[in-house]
């Protein structure tokens, strides 16, 4: 089981990035996927999560700016990030939590996730 996060980079405030989380070695249908981030000196926090049936969760800090989606056929989950702010700067990780394929629940606790990708750095700065 592997998760590969990509799409990070340097962007100016107000800009956009799209992160991708590519899964290999397992069927994405059986997993909820979460995007987490960790800024220097801070705890890793849930940003957005998506259930097996595409139910979604967004942290208050990103609601209306970020959109999570999944393409099970491609084995990929996306995080579209718009109107980026300097406080969005962090390493972003994707993670997979085993789930019932018919579940609409997307866990937000780190401990619910079984597999983690390596992280991709997002820097928002002028």
């Amino acid at each position: 089981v592997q998760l590969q996060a990509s799409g990070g980079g340097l962007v100016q405030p107000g800009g956009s990035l799209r992160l991708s989380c590519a899964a290999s070695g397992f069927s994405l249908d059986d997993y909820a996927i979460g995007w987490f981030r960790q800024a220097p000196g801070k705890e890793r926090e849930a940003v957005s999560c998506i259930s097996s049936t595409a139910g979604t969760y967004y942290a208050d800090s990103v609601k209306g700016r970020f959109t999570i989606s999944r393409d099970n056929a491609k084995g990929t989950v996306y995080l579209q990030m718009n109107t980026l702010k300097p406080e969005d700067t962090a390493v972003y990780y994707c993670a997979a939590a085993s789930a019932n394929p018919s579940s609409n629940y997307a866990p937000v606790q780190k401990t619910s996730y079984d597999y983690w990708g390596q992280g991709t750095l997002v820097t928002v700065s002028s």
Side-chain angles (χ1 to χ4, degrees), residues 11-14 65 83-90 122-126:
V11 63
Q12 292 187 340
R65 300 188 298 123
T83 319
L84 282 160
K85 303 176 180 180
E87 51 263 44
D88 295 317
T89 295
V122 172
T123 304
V124 185
S125 175
S126 54

Side-chain angles (χ1 to χ4, degrees), residues 3 21 28 31-35 48-50 68 70 77 94-97 113:
L3 294 170
C21 176
L28 205 57
Y31 287 83
I33 301 294
W35 282 101
S48 182
C49 308
I50 188 165
I68 191 170
R70 62 191 296 156
V77 173
C94 61
Y113 287 81

Side-chain angles (χ1 to χ4, degrees), residues 62-83:
V62 306
K63 278 181 184 175
R65 300 188 298 123
F66 291 11
T67 303
I68 191 170
S69 61
R70 62 191 296 156
D71 185 336
N72 288 355
K74 292 184 178 179
T76 304
V77 173
Y78 304 98
L79 185 67
Q80 178 67 43
M81 306 188 297
N82 297 330
T83 319

Side-chain angles (χ1 to χ4, degrees), residues 23-42:
S24 60
F26 65 99
S27 172
L28 205 57
D29 302 50
D30 299 328
Y31 287 83
I33 301 294
W35 282 101
F36 293 78
R37 67 186 179 189
Q38 188 165 19
K42 293 190 175 182

